[in-house]
Coordinates of all heavy atoms in Angstrom, one line a residue:
M24 N 123.7 106.1 -163.7 CA 122.9 105.8 -162.4 C 122.1 107.0 -162.1 O 122.4 108.2 -162.2 CB 124.0 105.6 -161.4 CG 123.5 105.1 -160.2 SD 124.7 104.3 -159.2 CE 124.5 104.7 -157.7
E25 N 120.9 106.6 -161.7 CA 119.8 107.6 -161.3 C 120.3 108.4 -160.0 O 120.8 107.7 -159.1 CB 118.5 107.0 -161.0 CG 117.6 107.3 -162.1 CD 116.4 106.7 -161.9 OE1 115.5 107.1 -160.9 OE2 115.7 105.7 -162.5
Q26 N 120.0 109.6 -159.9 CA 120.3 110.4 -158.7 C 119.2 110.1 -157.7 O 118.1 110.1 -158.0 CB 120.5 111.8 -159.0 CG 120.8 112.6 -157.7 CD 121.0 114.1 -158.1 OE1 120.9 114.6 -159.2 NE2 121.5 114.9 -157.2
E27 N 119.6 109.8 -156.4 CA 118.5 109.6 -155.4 C 117.9 110.8 -155.0 O 118.6 111.9 -154.9 CB 119.3 109.0 -154.3 CG 118.2 108.3 -153.3 CD 118.9 107.5 -152.2 OE1 119.8 106.6 -152.5 OE2 118.5 107.6 -151.0
L28 N 116.5 110.8 -154.9 CA 115.7 111.9 -154.5 C 115.9 112.2 -153.0 O 115.8 111.3 -152.2 CB 114.2 111.6 -154.8 CG 113.3 112.6 -154.5 CD1 113.5 114.0 -155.3 CD2 111.9 112.2 -154.9
D29 N 116.2 113.4 -152.6 CA 116.3 113.8 -151.2 C 114.9 114.2 -150.6 O 114.5 115.3 -151.1 CB 117.3 115.0 -151.1 CG 117.5 115.6 -149.7 OD1 116.9 114.9 -148.8 OD2 118.2 116.6 -149.4
L30 N 114.3 113.3 -149.9 CA 112.9 113.5 -149.7 C 112.8 114.7 -148.7 O 111.9 115.5 -148.7 CB 112.3 112.3 -149.0 CG 112.2 111.1 -149.9 CD1 111.7 109.8 -149.1 CD2 111.2 111.4 -151.1
S31 N 113.8 114.8 -147.9 CA 113.7 116.0 -146.9 C 113.9 117.4 -147.4 O 113.5 118.4 -146.9 CB 114.9 115.8 -145.9 OG 116.1 116.0 -146.4
A32 N 114.2 117.5 -148.8 CA 114.3 118.8 -149.5 C 113.0 119.2 -150.1 O 112.8 120.3 -150.5 CB 115.3 118.6 -150.5
L33 N 112.0 118.2 -150.1 CA 110.7 118.6 -150.7 C 109.8 119.3 -149.7 O 109.7 118.9 -148.5 CB 110.0 117.2 -151.1 CG 110.7 116.3 -152.3 CD1 110.0 115.0 -152.5 CD2 110.9 117.1 -153.4
P34 N 109.1 120.2 -150.3 CA 108.1 120.8 -149.4 C 107.0 119.8 -149.1 O 106.8 118.8 -149.8 CB 107.5 122.1 -150.2 CG 108.0 121.8 -151.6 CD 109.1 120.8 -151.6
D35 N 106.2 120.1 -148.0 CA 105.2 119.1 -147.6 C 104.4 118.5 -148.6 O 104.3 117.3 -148.7 CB 104.4 119.7 -146.4 CG 105.1 120.1 -145.2 OD1 106.3 119.7 -145.0 OD2 104.5 120.5 -144.2
E36 N 103.8 119.4 -149.5 CA 102.8 118.9 -150.5 C 103.4 117.9 -151.5 O 102.9 116.9 -151.7 CB 102.2 120.1 -151.2 CG 101.1 119.8 -152.1 CD 100.4 120.9 -152.7 OE1 100.2 121.9 -152.2 OE2 100.3 120.9 -154.1
E37 N 104.6 118.3 -151.9 CA 105.4 117.4 -152.9 C 105.8 116.2 -152.2 O 105.8 115.1 -152.7 CB 106.6 118.2 -153.4 CG 106.2 119.2 -154.4 CD 107.5 120.1 -154.9 OE1 108.5 119.3 -155.1 OE2 107.3 121.2 -155.2
L38 N 106.1 116.3 -150.9 CA 106.6 115.1 -150.2 C 105.5 114.0 -150.1 O 105.7 112.9 -150.3 CB 107.1 115.4 -148.8 CG 107.5 114.2 -147.9 CD1 108.6 113.3 -148.5 CD2 108.1 114.7 -146.6
V39 N 104.3 114.6 -149.7 CA 103.0 113.7 -149.7 C 102.8 113.1 -151.0 O 102.5 111.9 -151.1 CB 101.8 114.6 -149.2 CG1 100.6 113.8 -149.3 CG2 102.1 114.9 -147.6
E40 N 102.9 113.9 -152.1 CA 102.7 113.2 -153.4 C 103.7 112.2 -153.7 O 103.3 111.2 -154.4 CB 102.8 114.4 -154.5 CG 101.5 115.3 -154.5 CD 101.6 116.4 -155.5 OE1 102.5 116.4 -156.5 OE2 100.9 117.4 -155.4
Q41 N 105.0 112.5 -153.4 CA 106.1 111.5 -153.6 C 105.8 110.2 -152.7 O 106.0 109.2 -153.2 CB 107.4 112.0 -153.2 CG 108.5 111.1 -153.4 CD 108.7 110.8 -154.9 OE1 108.6 111.6 -155.8 NE2 108.8 109.4 -155.2
M42 N 105.2 110.4 -151.4 CA 104.8 109.3 -150.7 C 103.7 108.4 -151.3 O 103.7 107.1 -151.3 CB 104.5 109.6 -149.3 CG 105.7 110.1 -148.4 SD 105.2 110.7 -146.9 CE 104.7 109.2 -146.1
H43 N 102.8 109.0 -152.0 CA 101.8 108.3 -152.7 C 102.5 107.4 -153.8 O 102.0 106.3 -153.9 CB 100.8 109.4 -153.3 CG 99.9 110.0 -152.4 ND1 99.2 111.2 -152.7 CD2 99.7 110.0 -151.1 CE1 98.6 111.7 -151.7 NE2 99.0 110.9 -150.7
D44 N 103.3 108.0 -154.5 CA 104.0 107.3 -155.5 C 104.8 106.2 -155.0 O 104.9 105.1 -155.5 CB 104.9 108.3 -156.3 CG 104.3 109.2 -157.3 OD1 103.1 109.0 -157.5 OD2 104.9 110.3 -157.6
D45 N 105.6 106.4 -153.8 CA 106.4 105.4 -153.3 C 105.6 104.3 -152.7 O 105.9 103.1 -152.8 CB 107.3 106.0 -152.1 CG 108.4 107.0 -152.6 OD1 108.7 106.9 -153.9 OD2 108.9 107.7 -151.7
L46 N 104.3 104.6 -152.2 CA 103.5 103.5 -151.7 C 103.0 102.7 -153.0 O 103.0 101.5 -152.9 CB 102.3 104.2 -151.1 CG 102.2 104.3 -149.5 CD1 101.0 105.1 -149.1 CD2 102.2 103.0 -148.9
Y47 N 102.6 103.4 -154.0 CA 102.2 102.7 -155.2 C 103.2 101.9 -155.7 O 102.8 100.7 -156.2 CB 101.8 103.9 -156.2 CG 101.0 103.4 -157.5 CD1 99.6 103.5 -157.5 CD2 101.7 102.9 -158.6 CE1 98.9 103.1 -158.6 CE2 100.9 102.4 -159.6 CZ 99.6 102.5 -159.7 OH 98.8 102.0 -160.8
D48 N 104.4 102.2 -155.5 CA 105.5 101.4 -156.1 C 106.1 100.4 -155.1 O 107.1 99.7 -155.3 CB 106.7 102.2 -156.6 CG 106.3 103.1 -157.8 OD1 105.4 102.6 -158.5 OD2 106.9 104.2 -158.0
G49 N 105.5 100.2 -153.8 CA 105.9 99.4 -152.7 C 107.2 99.7 -152.3 O 107.9 98.7 -151.8
M50 N 107.6 100.9 -152.1 CA 108.9 101.3 -151.7 C 108.8 101.6 -150.1 O 108.5 102.7 -149.7 CB 109.4 102.5 -152.5 CG 109.5 102.2 -153.9 SD 109.8 103.6 -154.9 CE 111.6 103.9 -154.5
A51 N 109.0 100.6 -149.3 CA 108.8 100.6 -147.9 C 109.8 101.6 -147.2 O 109.5 102.4 -146.3 CB 109.0 99.2 -147.2
D52 N 111.1 101.6 -147.5 CA 112.1 102.4 -146.9 C 111.7 103.9 -147.1 O 111.9 104.6 -146.2 CB 113.5 102.0 -147.4 CG 114.0 100.6 -146.9 OD1 113.4 100.2 -146.0 OD2 115.0 100.1 -147.5
E53 N 111.5 104.3 -148.4 CA 111.1 105.5 -148.7 C 109.8 106.1 -148.1 O 109.8 107.2 -147.6 CB 110.9 105.7 -150.2 CG 112.3 105.7 -151.0 CD 112.8 104.1 -151.2 OE1 112.0 103.2 -150.8 OE2 113.8 104.0 -151.8
T54 N 108.9 105.1 -147.9 CA 107.6 105.5 -147.1 C 107.9 105.8 -145.7 O 107.4 106.7 -145.1 CB 106.5 104.3 -147.4 OG1 106.4 104.2 -148.8 CG2 105.3 104.6 -146.7
L55 N 108.7 104.9 -145.1 CA 109.1 105.2 -143.7 C 109.7 106.5 -143.6 O 109.5 107.2 -142.6 CB 110.0 104.1 -143.3 CG 110.5 104.1 -141.8 CD1 109.4 104.4 -140.7 CD2 111.4 103.0 -141.5
E56 N 110.8 106.7 -144.5 CA 111.5 108.0 -144.4 C 110.6 109.2 -144.6 O 110.8 110.1 -143.8 CB 112.5 108.0 -145.4 CG 113.5 109.2 -145.4 CD 114.4 109.4 -146.6 OE1 114.6 108.4 -147.4 OE2 115.1 110.5 -146.8
G57 N 109.7 109.2 -145.5 CA 108.6 110.2 -145.7 C 107.9 110.6 -144.4 O 107.6 111.6 -144.0
T58 N 107.4 109.4 -143.7 CA 106.6 109.5 -142.6 C 107.4 110.2 -141.5 O 107.0 111.1 -140.8 CB 106.3 108.0 -142.0 OG1 105.5 107.4 -143.1 CG2 105.5 108.1 -140.7
Q59 N 108.7 109.8 -141.3 CA 109.6 110.4 -140.2 C 109.8 111.9 -140.6 O 109.9 112.6 -139.6 CB 110.9 109.6 -140.2 CG 110.8 108.2 -139.7 CD 112.0 107.3 -140.0 OE1 112.8 107.7 -140.7 NE2 112.1 106.3 -139.1
I60 N 110.0 112.2 -141.7 CA 110.2 113.7 -142.1 C 109.0 114.5 -141.8 O 109.1 115.5 -141.1 CB 110.5 113.7 -143.7 CG1 111.9 113.2 -143.9 CG2 110.5 115.3 -144.1 CD1 112.3 113.1 -145.4
L61 N 107.8 114.0 -142.2 CA 106.5 114.7 -141.9 C 106.3 114.8 -140.3 O 106.0 115.9 -139.8 CB 105.3 114.0 -142.5 CG 105.3 114.3 -144.0 CD1 104.0 113.4 -144.7 CD2 105.2 115.6 -144.5
L62 N 106.6 113.9 -139.6 CA 106.4 113.8 -138.1 C 107.5 114.8 -137.6 O 107.1 115.6 -136.7 CB 106.7 112.5 -137.5 CG 105.6 111.4 -137.8 CD1 105.9 110.1 -137.3 CD2 104.3 111.8 -137.2
S63 N 108.7 114.9 -138.1 CA 109.7 115.7 -137.6 C 109.2 117.2 -137.9 O 109.8 118.2 -137.3 CB 111.1 115.5 -138.2 OG 111.2 115.8 -139.4
R64 N 108.4 117.4 -138.9 CA 108.0 118.8 -139.2 C 106.7 119.2 -138.5 O 106.2 120.2 -138.8 CB 107.8 118.8 -140.8 CG 108.9 118.7 -141.7 CD 108.5 118.8 -143.1 NE 109.8 118.7 -144.0 CZ 109.7 118.5 -145.2 NH1 108.6 118.6 -145.8 NH2 110.8 118.3 -145.9
G65 N 106.4 118.4 -137.5 CA 105.3 118.7 -136.6 C 103.9 118.2 -137.0 O 102.9 118.5 -136.5
W66 N 103.9 117.3 -138.1 CA 102.6 116.7 -138.5 C 102.2 115.8 -137.4 O 103.0 115.1 -136.9 CB 102.8 116.1 -139.9 CG 102.8 116.8 -141.0 CD1 103.5 117.9 -141.4 CD2 102.1 116.6 -142.2 NE1 103.3 118.5 -142.6 CE2 102.4 117.5 -143.1 CE3 101.2 115.5 -142.7 CZ2 101.9 117.6 -144.4 CZ3 100.7 115.6 -143.9 CH2 101.0 116.7 -144.8
S67 N 100.9 115.7 -137.2 CA 100.5 114.6 -136.1 C 100.4 113.2 -136.9 O 100.4 113.3 -138.1 CB 99.0 115.0 -135.7 OG 98.1 114.9 -136.8
A68 N 100.5 112.3 -136.1 CA 100.5 110.9 -136.6 C 99.2 110.7 -137.5 O 99.2 110.1 -138.5 CB 100.6 109.9 -135.5
S69 N 98.1 111.2 -136.9 CA 96.8 110.9 -137.6 C 96.8 111.7 -139.0 O 96.2 111.2 -140.0 CB 95.7 111.4 -136.8 OG 95.6 112.8 -136.5
K70 N 97.5 112.9 -139.0 CA 97.5 113.7 -140.3 C 98.3 113.0 -141.3 O 98.0 112.8 -142.4 CB 98.0 115.1 -140.1 CG 97.9 115.9 -141.3 CD 98.4 117.3 -141.1 CE 98.4 118.1 -142.3 NZ 98.8 119.6 -142.2
V71 N 99.5 112.4 -140.9 CA 100.3 111.6 -141.8 C 99.6 110.4 -142.3 O 99.5 110.0 -143.6 CB 101.6 111.2 -141.2 CG1 102.4 110.3 -142.0 CG2 102.5 112.4 -140.7
L72 N 99.0 109.7 -141.4 CA 98.2 108.5 -141.7 C 97.2 108.8 -142.8 O 97.1 108.2 -143.8 CB 97.5 107.9 -140.4 CG 96.7 106.7 -140.6 CD1 97.6 105.5 -141.1 CD2 96.0 106.3 -139.4
E73 N 96.4 109.8 -142.6 CA 95.2 110.2 -143.4 C 95.7 110.7 -144.8 O 95.3 110.3 -145.8 CB 94.3 111.2 -142.8 CG 93.5 110.6 -141.5 CD 92.7 111.7 -140.7 OE1 92.5 112.7 -141.3 OE2 92.5 111.3 -139.6
E74 N 96.5 111.8 -144.7 CA 96.9 112.4 -146.0 C 97.9 111.8 -146.8 O 98.0 111.9 -148.0 CB 97.3 113.9 -145.6 CG 96.2 114.7 -145.1 CD 96.5 116.1 -144.9 OE1 97.5 116.6 -145.5 OE2 95.8 116.8 -144.0
A75 N 98.8 111.0 -146.2 CA 99.9 110.4 -146.9 C 99.7 109.0 -147.1 O 99.7 108.4 -148.3 CB 101.3 110.7 -146.2
L76 N 99.4 108.2 -146.1 CA 99.3 106.8 -146.2 C 98.0 106.2 -146.7 O 97.9 105.5 -147.7 CB 99.7 106.1 -144.9 CG 101.1 106.4 -144.2 CD1 101.3 105.9 -142.9 CD2 102.2 106.0 -145.2
V77 N 97.0 106.6 -146.1 CA 95.6 106.1 -146.4 C 95.3 106.7 -147.9 O 94.8 105.9 -148.7 CB 94.5 106.6 -145.5 CG1 93.1 106.2 -146.0 CG2 94.7 105.7 -144.1
E78 N 95.6 107.9 -148.1 CA 95.3 108.4 -149.4 C 96.1 107.7 -150.5 O 95.7 107.5 -151.6 CB 95.5 110.0 -149.5 CG 95.4 110.6 -150.9 CD 93.9 110.5 -151.4 OE1 92.9 110.2 -150.6 OE2 93.8 110.7 -152.5
G79 N 97.3 107.5 -150.3 CA 98.0 106.7 -151.2 C 97.6 105.4 -151.4 O 97.5 104.8 -152.6
M80 N 97.1 104.7 -150.4 CA 96.4 103.4 -150.6 C 95.1 103.4 -151.3 O 94.7 102.5 -152.0 CB 96.3 102.6 -149.1 CG 97.6 102.1 -148.6 SD 98.5 101.0 -149.7 CE 97.5 99.6 -149.7
R81 N 94.5 104.6 -151.2 CA 93.1 104.7 -151.8 C 93.4 104.8 -153.4 O 92.7 104.1 -154.2 CB 92.5 106.0 -151.5 CG 91.2 106.3 -152.2 CD 90.6 107.7 -151.8 NE 91.2 108.6 -152.6 CZ 91.0 108.9 -153.8 NH1 90.2 108.2 -154.5 NH2 91.7 109.9 -154.4
I82 N 94.5 105.4 -153.8 CA 94.9 105.4 -155.1 C 95.3 103.9 -155.7 O 94.8 103.6 -156.8 CB 96.1 106.3 -155.4 CG1 95.7 107.8 -154.9 CG2 96.6 106.2 -156.8 CD1 96.9 108.7 -154.9
V83 N 96.0 103.2 -154.8 CA 96.2 101.8 -155.2 C 95.0 101.1 -155.3 O 94.8 100.3 -156.3 CB 97.2 101.2 -154.0 CG1 97.2 99.6 -154.2 CG2 98.6 101.8 -154.1
G84 N 94.0 101.2 -154.4 CA 92.8 100.6 -154.6 C 91.9 100.9 -155.7 O 91.3 100.0 -156.4
I85 N 92.0 102.2 -156.2 CA 91.2 102.3 -157.5 C 91.9 101.7 -158.5 O 91.1 101.1 -159.4 CB 91.3 104.0 -157.7 CG1 90.4 104.7 -156.6 CG2 90.9 104.3 -159.0 CD1 90.6 106.2 -156.6
D86 N 93.2 101.7 -158.7 CA 93.9 101.1 -159.8 C 93.8 99.5 -159.7 O 93.7 98.9 -160.8 CB 95.4 101.4 -159.9 CG 95.5 102.8 -160.5 OD1 94.5 103.5 -160.9 OD2 96.6 103.2 -160.7
F87 N 93.6 99.0 -158.6 CA 93.4 97.6 -158.4 C 92.0 97.3 -158.9 O 91.7 96.3 -159.7 CB 93.5 97.1 -157.0 CG 93.1 95.7 -156.7 CD1 94.0 94.7 -157.2 CD2 92.0 95.4 -156.0 CE1 93.6 93.3 -157.0 CE2 91.7 94.0 -155.7 CZ 92.5 93.0 -156.2
R88 N 91.0 98.0 -158.5 CA 89.6 97.8 -158.9 C 89.6 98.0 -160.4 O 88.8 97.2 -161.1 CB 88.8 99.0 -158.3 CG 87.2 99.0 -158.7 CD 86.6 100.2 -158.5 NE 87.1 101.3 -159.3 CZ 87.0 102.5 -159.0 NH1 86.4 103.0 -158.1 NH2 87.6 103.5 -160.0
D89 N 90.3 98.9 -161.1 CA 90.3 99.0 -162.4 C 91.1 98.1 -163.3 O 91.2 98.2 -164.5 CB 90.5 100.5 -162.8 CG 89.6 101.5 -162.3 OD1 88.5 101.1 -161.9 OD2 89.9 102.7 -162.2
G90 N 91.7 97.1 -162.6 CA 92.5 96.2 -163.2 C 94.0 96.5 -163.7 O 94.5 96.0 -164.5
I91 N 94.3 97.7 -163.2 CA 95.7 98.3 -163.6 C 96.8 97.6 -162.8 O 97.9 97.3 -163.2 CB 95.7 99.8 -163.5 CG1 94.7 100.5 -164.4 CG2 97.1 100.4 -163.7 CD1 94.5 101.9 -164.2
L92 N 96.4 97.4 -161.3 CA 97.4 96.7 -160.5 C 96.7 95.3 -160.2 O 95.5 95.2 -160.3 CB 97.5 97.6 -159.2 CG 98.2 98.9 -159.3 CD1 98.2 99.5 -157.9 CD2 99.6 98.7 -159.8
F93 N 97.6 94.4 -159.7 CA 97.1 93.1 -159.4 C 97.5 92.9 -157.9 O 98.2 93.6 -157.3 CB 97.6 92.1 -160.3 CG 97.2 92.4 -161.8 CD1 98.0 93.0 -162.6 CD2 95.9 92.0 -162.1 CE1 97.4 93.2 -163.9 CE2 95.4 92.2 -163.4 CZ 96.1 92.8 -164.3
V94 N 97.1 91.7 -157.3 CA 97.3 91.4 -156.0 C 98.8 91.6 -155.5 O 99.1 92.2 -154.5 CB 96.9 90.0 -155.6 CG1 97.3 89.6 -154.2 CG2 95.3 90.0 -155.7
P95 N 99.8 91.1 -156.3 CA 101.2 91.3 -155.8 C 101.6 92.7 -155.6 O 102.3 93.1 -154.6 CB 102.0 90.6 -156.9 CG 101.2 89.7 -157.6 CD 99.8 90.2 -157.5
E96 N 101.2 93.6 -156.6 CA 101.4 95.1 -156.3 C 100.8 95.7 -155.2 O 101.3 96.5 -154.4 CB 101.0 95.8 -157.6 CG 102.1 95.5 -158.8 CD 101.3 94.5 -159.8 OE1 100.3 93.9 -159.5 OE2 101.9 94.4 -161.0
V97 N 99.5 95.3 -155.0 CA 98.8 95.7 -153.8 C 99.4 95.3 -152.5 O 99.6 96.1 -151.5 CB 97.3 95.3 -153.9 CG1 96.6 95.6 -152.5 CG2 96.6 95.8 -155.1
L98 N 99.9 94.1 -152.5 CA 100.6 93.6 -151.3 C 101.9 94.3 -151.0 O 102.2 94.6 -149.9 CB 100.9 92.1 -151.5 CG 99.6 91.2 -151.3 CD1 100.1 89.7 -151.6 CD2 98.8 91.3 -150.0
L99 N 102.7 94.7 -152.0 CA 103.8 95.5 -152.0 C 103.5 96.9 -151.4 O 104.2 97.4 -150.5 CB 104.6 95.6 -153.3 CG 105.2 94.4 -153.8 CD1 105.8 94.6 -155.2 CD2 106.5 94.0 -152.8
A100 N 102.4 97.5 -151.9 CA 101.9 98.8 -151.3 C 101.6 98.7 -150.0 O 101.8 99.5 -149.1 CB 100.8 99.3 -152.2
A101 N 100.8 97.6 -149.6 CA 100.4 97.4 -148.2 C 101.6 97.3 -147.2 O 101.6 97.8 -146.1 CB 99.4 96.1 -148.1
N102 N 102.7 96.6 -147.7 CA 103.9 96.5 -146.9 C 104.6 97.8 -146.8 O 105.1 98.0 -145.7 CB 104.8 95.3 -147.5 CG 104.3 94.0 -147.2 OD1 103.7 93.8 -146.2 ND2 104.7 93.0 -148.2
A103 N 104.5 98.6 -147.8 CA 105.1 99.9 -147.6 C 104.4 100.7 -146.7 O 105.0 101.5 -145.8 CB 105.1 100.6 -149.0
M104 N 102.9 100.6 -146.7 CA 102.2 101.5 -145.7 C 102.4 101.0 -144.2 O 102.6 101.7 -143.4 CB 100.7 101.3 -146.0 CG 99.9 102.1 -145.0 SD 98.1 102.1 -145.5 CE 97.4 102.8 -144.2
K105 N 102.6 99.6 -144.1 CA 103.0 99.0 -142.8 C 104.2 99.5 -142.3 O 104.5 99.9 -141.2 CB 103.1 97.5 -142.9 CG 103.2 96.7 -141.7 CD 103.3 95.2 -141.9 CE 103.6 94.6 -140.6 NZ 103.7 93.1 -140.9
A106 N 105.2 99.7 -143.2 CA 106.5 100.3 -142.8 C 106.4 101.7 -142.3 O 106.9 102.1 -141.3 CB 107.5 100.3 -144.0
G107 N 105.5 102.5 -143.0 CA 105.2 103.9 -142.5 C 104.6 103.9 -141.2 O 104.8 104.8 -140.5
M108 N 103.7 102.9 -141.0 CA 102.9 103.0 -139.7 C 103.7 102.4 -138.5 O 103.5 102.7 -137.4 CB 101.7 102.1 -139.8 CG 100.6 102.8 -140.8 SD 99.2 101.7 -141.1 CE 98.5 101.8 -139.5
A109 N 104.9 101.6 -138.9 CA 105.7 101.1 -137.8 C 106.4 102.2 -137.0 O 106.5 102.1 -135.8 CB 106.7 100.1 -138.4
N110 N 106.7 103.3 -137.7 CA 107.2 104.4 -137.0 C 106.3 104.8 -135.9 O 106.8 105.3 -134.8 CB 107.5 105.6 -138.0 CG 108.3 106.7 -137.5 OD1 109.4 106.5 -137.0 ND2 107.6 107.9 -137.3
R111 N 105.0 105.0 -136.3 CA 104.1 105.5 -135.2 C 103.9 104.6 -134.1 O 103.9 104.9 -133.0 CB 102.7 105.6 -136.0 CG 101.7 106.1 -135.0 CD 100.4 106.3 -135.7 NE 99.4 106.8 -134.7 CZ 98.1 106.5 -135.0 NH1 97.7 106.1 -136.1 NH2 97.2 106.8 -134.1
S112 N 103.8 103.2 -134.4 CA 103.9 102.2 -133.4 C 104.9 102.2 -132.3 O 104.8 102.0 -131.2 CB 103.7 100.8 -134.0 OG 102.6 100.7 -134.8
A113 N 106.1 102.6 -132.9 CA 107.3 102.5 -132.1 C 107.4 103.6 -131.1 O 108.0 103.6 -130.0 CB 108.6 102.7 -132.9
R114 N 106.5 104.8 -131.3 CA 106.5 105.9 -130.4 C 105.4 105.7 -129.4 O 105.3 106.4 -128.5 CB 106.1 107.1 -131.2 CG 107.3 107.5 -132.2 CD 107.1 108.6 -133.0 NE 105.7 109.2 -132.9 CZ 105.4 110.4 -133.0 NH1 106.4 111.3 -132.9 NH2 104.2 110.9 -133.0
S115 N 104.5 104.7 -129.6 CA 103.4 104.5 -128.7 C 103.8 104.0 -127.3 O 104.7 103.5 -127.1 CB 102.4 103.6 -129.2 OG 101.8 104.0 -130.4

């Protein structure tokens, strides 16, 4: 059985990279957790949105454009981003 990655143990830069991977893989719970961790570390909501979520979706968009990903994978990634953004909405 694979050992679960402790996102809170990652430094910011590695956490953001992991969030890009989690978005790419459509992992909503992990994306939400990463968002919460960055916010708890003092990141602004706009910085999390731009550097972690939007940048992750940009990578998804490039691979969709290049035919590496297809609509179902893009929808999973979008749902993961939505989960990460829900945290921000709940605080508004």
Side-chain angles (χ1 to χ4, degrees):
M24 187 160 147
E25 253 185 68
Q26 185 176 1
E27 191 170 316
L28 180 61
D29 181 6
L30 295 177
S31 64
L33 297 176
D35 289 0
E36 186 177 313
E37 288 180 32
L38 177 56
V39 169
E40 289 177 17
Q41 184 61 47
M42 288 177 69
H43 295 165
D44 292 343
D45 291 344
L46 266 171
Y47 193 93
D48 294 335
M50 299 171 74
D52 291 341
E53 290 80 356
T54 301
L55 174 58
E56 182 182 356
T58 299
Q59 291 170 335
I60 292 167
L61 290 175
L62 291 171
S63 74
R64 291 180 181 175
W66 282 47
S67 68
S69 62
K70 184 176 179 180
V71 174
L72 180 65
E73 291 169 21
E74 294 185 23
L76 301 175
V77 171
E78 178 61 18
M80 287 303 293
R81 187 187 71 77
I82 296 164
V83 168
I85 290 169
D86 282 1
F87 176 70
R88 178 198 67 202
D89 294 345
I91 296 167
L92 292 178
F93 298 98
V94 172
E96 289 98 351
V97 173
L98 292 175
L99 286 172
N102 283 333
M104 181 173 176
K105 184 178 175 184
M108 292 179 64
N110 185 67
R111 179 177 175 203
S112 300
R114 298 176 350 142
S115 300

